[in-house]
């Protein structure tokens, strides 16, 4: 009876720990001349705030259809 309980706790251990921190990654590209170049990938940037209604064409700022015409 103790074995199923310890197996259940062991199965839930990754959920309690959470994801491990990701290492810095980069893309390695080969150049036609025979060399290579590494391009770093940065994913720590915060997403940009949505644009304001004045700057984009939101549905609320468009002309309304006039059915009397």
């Amino acid at each position: 009876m103790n074995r199923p309980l310890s197996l259940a706790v062991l199965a839930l251990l990754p959920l309690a720990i959470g994801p491990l921190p990701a290492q810095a990654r980069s893309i390695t590209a080969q150049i036609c001349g025979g060399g290579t170049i590494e391009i770093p990938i940065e994913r720590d940037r915060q997403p940009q705030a949505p644009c304001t209604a004045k700057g984009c064409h939101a549905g609320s700022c468009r002309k309304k259809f006039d059915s009397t015409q």
Side-chain angles (χ1 to χ4, degrees):
M1 184 132 191
N2 192 16
R3 186 173 180 153
L5 180 62
S6 62
L7 182 63
V9 170
L10 186 63
L12 292 175
L13 187 62
L15 181 65
I17 293 174
L20 298 175
Q23 296 179 358
R25 295 186 179 188
S26 63
I27 297 174
T28 304
Q30 293 183 351
I31 301 174
C32 296
T36 59
I37 185 170
E38 290 190 21
I39 304 169
I41 299 174
E42 300 175 6
R43 297 184 184 247
D44 294 340
R45 296 180 184 165
Q46 296 293 329
Q48 294 180 351
C51 60
T52 62
K54 183 179 179 182
C56 63
H57 298 283
S60 61
C61 65
R62 294 185 180 159
K63 290 183 178 179
K64 303 295 181 199
F65 179 70
D66 188 11
S67 61
T68 60
Q69 292 181 351

